[in-house]
């Protein structure tokens, strides 16, 4: 039986690919290949960029209110198709349905924020900057923009970019992860059904060839990227070298600091969701708990151990499972390799996910893993694992905990659990990280704030969504005006402005 072939979307409709290079898309729950995705060649890439470039000017020339109305209809259609979209995400990603619905909702919140674009895009006006002279500024769209996204949020991360990019009047070429490309296709089709003009939102499937073309083609004005740090850095450098505006979000190793006065039941529940939710395949997952004091660490590990062992791992489409499979066999094996490394390096392997009963099923399963007595020199501490593995690092003071957070290469999210307002405030103030939670384990900013890490977790000056999204997807023009009728207007004759 021939497998379904996924299509590019351009000029508002699905297009068969020209390329001869294809990649398998798995159902991680069964391990079967479910479809094949094209890896765009030069012909596919050129057609997509040309369509987007043709559509951009008319979309940018529409009123902001008009574009907002299209986004409102798109939002309604996405909501009406929630179950279809969520099931599609679960089938290709492996996250449980509740997580898939949740990511769709968080993505749509960015679209909701972006529908305020008539207000958000307003410029400034100054009356009488000199006699008879006024000055105003306006924000204008950039043209064609590229959105390059990772596998772990097939709907939410694209929507971080699509909401503001489209609202601001740009055309977008979305290059989704080749591991779960189908959601992007449906989002683009629903945009057209909502009245989005053909060519304004396009989907180009591919790998490095497509990404490198988008980062260098002169018709692309801006590149927004989310993915792993080495690729983020490559995309940032390549796009900047070609004169583009670029924001590139990378990997993470998010710490949760537990002070001795923390509510340990609340901390345990929070850690379970933050470390093992979506099988740890979240850039804001907590993968390290830094616990101050051995008594606190002992009490926390005891609580966590039972709960990690009790995690229900299985088919993400069946209600009642906490965790589904990992996205691919390669990724599952990479995580298993880290577990082996951690045990060899001398960390205490309290719960070994490789022995979970789910691992006997077909599909890319691994149970939750808990390590205690992890130290800063171990690879399981230094590197991003991106799986259901939580490392406990024991320290003796809050300062030592802060120092660990601040010297780690990544600085995406961080959290502190304590009952002390003073300690939490001090920590939030001094920690070198982009997003901070106080008794909140995954401090993902709402759509009307912006999302972005520090250090090796982000490259570029603009965060995702919030006002930074509007700034990223527009450029400012400032106009100075004088009208001949103003008899008393300032003069521009040499040598000075009077
Ligand atoms: P990835 O870097 O492998 O892929 C991201 C995108 O880059 C994909 O579209 C992929 O096709 C493309 N790509 C892959 N290799 C490439 C290459 N050699 N040249 C050019 N393009 C290439 O990331 P992933 O595995 O899909 O996603 C997981 C990573 O994303 C994790 O590191 C996670 O922390 C990170 N992430 C970060 C954030 C954030 O906001 N900081 C959010 C979500 C995920």
């Amino acid at each position: 039986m021939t497998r379904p072939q996924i299509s590019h979307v351009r000029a508002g409709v699905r297009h068969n690919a020209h390329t001869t290079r294809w990649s398998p898309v798995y159902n991680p729950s069964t391990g079967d290949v479910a479809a094949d995705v094209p890896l765009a060649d030069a012909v596919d890439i050129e057609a997509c960029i040309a369509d987007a470039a043709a559509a951009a000017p008319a979309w940018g020339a529409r009123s902001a209110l008009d574009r907002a109305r299209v986004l409102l209809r798109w939002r309604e259609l996405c909501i009406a198709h929630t179950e279809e979209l969520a099931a599609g995400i679960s089938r290709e990603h492996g996250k449980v349905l509740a997580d898939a619905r949740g990511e769709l909702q968080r993505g749509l919140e960015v679209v909701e924020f972006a529908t305020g674009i008539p207000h958000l895009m307003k410029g400034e006006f100054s009356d009488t900057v000199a006699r008879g002279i006024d000055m105003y500024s306006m924000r204008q769209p950039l043209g064609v923009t590229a959105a390059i996204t990772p596998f772990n949020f097939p709907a939410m991360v694209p929507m971080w970019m699509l909401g503001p990019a489209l609202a601001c009047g740009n055309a977008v070429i979305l290059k989704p992860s080749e591991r779960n490309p189908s959601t992007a296709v449906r989002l683009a089709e629903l945009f057209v059904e909502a009245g989005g003009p053909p060519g304004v939102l396009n989907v180009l499937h591919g790998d490095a060839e497509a990404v490198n073309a988008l980062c260098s083609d002169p018709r692309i004005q801006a590149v927004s990227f989310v993915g792993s740090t080495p690729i983020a850095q490559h995309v940032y450098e390549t796009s900047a070298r070609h004169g583009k505006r670029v924001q590139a979000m990378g990997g993470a190793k998010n710490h949760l600091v537990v002070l001795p006065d923390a509510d340990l039941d609340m901390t345990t529940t929070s850690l379970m969701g933050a470390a093992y939710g979506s099988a740890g395949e979240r850039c804001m997952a907590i993968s390290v708990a830094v616990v101050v004091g051995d008594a606190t660490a002992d009490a926390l590990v005891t609580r966590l151990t039972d709960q990690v062992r009790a995690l229900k791992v299985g088919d993400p489409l069946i209600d009642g499972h906490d965790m589904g499979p990992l996205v691919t066999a390669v990724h599952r094996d990479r995580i298993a390799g880290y577990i082996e490394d951690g045990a060899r390096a001398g960390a205490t392997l309290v719960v070994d996910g490789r022995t979970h009963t789910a691992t006997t099923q077909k599909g890319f399963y691994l149970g939750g893993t808990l390590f205690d007595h992890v130290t800063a020199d171990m690879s399981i501490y230094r590197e991003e694992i991106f799986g259901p593995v939580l490392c406990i690092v024991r320290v003796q003071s809050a300062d030592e905990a802060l120092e660990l957070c601040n010297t780690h290469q990544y600085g995406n999210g961080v959290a502190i659990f304590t009952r002390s307002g003073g300690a939490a405030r001090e920590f939030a103030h001094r920690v070198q990280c982009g997003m901070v939670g106080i008794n909140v384990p995954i401090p993902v900013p709402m759509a009307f704030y912006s999302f972005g890490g520090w250090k090796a977790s982000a490259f570029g000056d603009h965060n995702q969504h919030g006002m930074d999204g509007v700034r990223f997807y527009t450029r400012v023009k400032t106009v100075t005006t004088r009208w001949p009728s103003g008899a008393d207007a300032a003069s521009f004759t040499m040598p000075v402005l009077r």
Side-chain angles (χ1 to χ4, degrees), residues 194-448:
V200 168
L201 172 52
N202 311 279
V203 180
L204 179 70
H205 301 290
D207 57 3
E209 182 174 347
V211 170
N212 291 336
L214 295 173
C215 295
S216 54
D217 190 286
R219 289 164 291 181
I220 309 280
Q221 302 299 317
V223 176
S224 181
F225 173 90
V226 173
S228 60
T229 287
I231 312 297
Q233 189 160 5
H234 166 73
V235 164
Y236 176 71
E237 290 171 2
T238 310
S239 303
R241 201 165 49 247
H242 287 88
K244 298 185 198 320
R245 193 174 283 199
V246 51
Q247 54 178 188
M249 276 55 197
K253 192 83 180 176
N254 306 309
H255 294 44
L256 186 149
V257 172
V258 186
L259 297 191
D261 67 350
D263 176 333
L264 280 194
D265 288 333
M266 181 197 200
T267 308
T268 306
T269 309
S270 301
L271 271 171
M272 289 301 301
Y276 302 105
S278 204
E281 292 170 320
R282 290 178 178 146
C283 65
M284 288 291 275
I286 295 293
S287 47
V288 179
V290 185
V291 189
V292 177
D294 284 326
T296 313
D298 290 342
L300 185 67
V301 170
T302 302
R303 283 169 162 81
L304 283 168
T305 303
D306 290 341
Q307 296 199 25
V308 178
R309 287 206 179 108
L311 278 171
K312 295 192 191 71
V313 184
D315 186 339
L317 291 167
I318 293 178
D319 268 355
H321 287 143
D322 301 312
M323 252 170 58
L326 280 309
V327 68
T328 57
V330 172
H331 190 50
R332 189 248 342 254
D333 295 346
R334 194 177 150 270
I335 298 166
Y338 272 112
I339 298 173
E340 188 61 34
D341 283 354
R344 273 216 204 101
T348 308
L349 186 49
V350 183
V351 183
D352 185 348
R354 296 172 300 180
T355 60
H356 194 285
T357 50
T359 58
T360 58
Q361 301 173 32
K362 276 178 76 196
F364 313 137
Y365 287 98
L366 206 55
T369 292
L370 179 64
F371 275 113
D372 194 2
H373 299 285
V374 174
T375 55
D377 55 328
M378 295 177 182
S379 66
I380 54 169
Y381 174 77
R382 291 194 321 268
E383 294 164 24
E384 181 181 47
I385 299 175
F386 219 58
V389 179
L390 177 63
C391 297
I392 307 285
V393 180
R394 295 173 176 231
V395 296
Q396 296 314 315
S397 70
D399 275 348
E400 209 183 319
L402 179 69
E403 177 71 9
L404 269 181
C405 301
N406 285 354
T407 49
H408 202 283
Q409 61 166 325
Y410 293 115
N412 213 39
V414 72
I416 185 165
F417 275 58
T418 176
R419 287 187 167 90
S420 162
R425 184 184 183 283
E426 175 80 1
F427 179 84
H429 196 70
R430 291 173 57 196
V431 75
Q432 303 283 310
C433 238
M435 295 166 281
V436 184
I438 296 174
N439 296 314
V440 171
I442 303 189
V444 176
M446 297 296 286
F448 36 96

Side-chain angles (χ1 to χ4, degrees), residues 149-152 175 178-179 225-228 250-251 283 384 386 451:
T149 55
F151 81 84
N152 67 319
K175 208 304 285 168
E178 59 275 43
R179 282 178 265 178
F225 173 90
V226 173
S228 60
C283 65
E384 181 181 47
F386 219 58
F451 183 109

Side-chain angles (χ1 to χ4, degrees), residues 104-175:
L104 205 54
Q105 183 188 325
R106 291 307 298 263
L108 284 171
E109 286 167 10
V110 177
V111 178
E112 286 160 11
F113 170 74
T115 61
I117 201 66
H119 175 73
L120 298 171
M121 257 181 104
K122 280 196 297 203
E124 296 173 309
F125 180 86
S126 296
D127 174 66
T128 316
V129 293
R131 279 193 320 276
I133 297 184
D134 305 324
M135 186 175 285
Y136 63 93
S137 66
M138 63 179 104
R139 293 192 167 275
Q140 295 189 317
L142 306 174
V144 182
T145 64
I148 302 162
T149 55
F151 81 84
N152 67 319
F153 285 108
M156 183 186 79
V157 171
M159 283 179 173
W160 284 357
M161 303 165 182
L162 297 178
L166 295 168
C168 290
N170 302 286
V172 182
I173 297 172
L174 170 59
K175 208 304 285 168

